[in-house]
Amino acid sequence: VQLCGICDVCLQKKEARSLKQTEDKYLDDIQSLLRGSPMPVEALLQHFPRADHEMILQLLRFCLDEKILILNKTQVLELRKK
């Protein structure tokens, strides 16, 4: 089915696709930053636009829940060692 790109359904699908791409990019960025060195959440947030901080916090919660990231004893985020 071809999307018209005009109706509400098509616009919603386009927006959802765009949001997913942004989330995927931010997940890659988070992992790249933490590969360089562990850092506190506040320091990590400084690498992203303020308008997207809520999305970044949600992604961090997801990564912690999925054990992609860990919060160490000093409350610093790091990539989980495999």
Side-chain angles (χ1 to χ4, degrees):
V1 173
Q2 183 86 16
L3 299 178
C4 71
I6 299 169
C7 71
D8 288 344
V9 172
C10 289
L11 292 175
Q12 237 178 357
K13 286 182 180 182
K14 182 178 178 183
E15 185 177 328
R17 225 179 0 260
S18 176
L19 180 61
K20 176 73 173 131
Q21 289 171 343
T22 301
E23 287 177 343
D24 289 346
K25 182 191 179 317
Y26 281 165
L27 279 172
D28 287 344
D29 291 347
I30 289 167
Q31 290 181 10
S32 292
L33 287 165
L34 293 176
R35 230 178 260 113
S37 68
M39 64 180 73
V41 173
E42 298 80 21
L44 185 69
L45 287 174
Q46 299 308 309
H47 293 272
F48 300 95
R50 182 173 294 275
D52 291 338
H53 282 190
E54 188 58 40
M55 180 191 303
I56 299 299
L57 290 171
Q58 289 175 357
L59 290 170
L60 291 175
R61 284 184 207 111
F62 168 79
C63 289
L64 288 166
D65 289 346
E66 296 296 315
K67 310 272 191 275
I68 297 167
L69 301 177
I70 59 168
L71 199 56
N72 70 20
K73 294 176 190 172
T74 59
Q75 300 300 300
V76 172
L77 288 167
E78 16 178 304
L79 284 174
R80 184 178 68 110
K81 293 172 179 65
K82 296 182 179 186

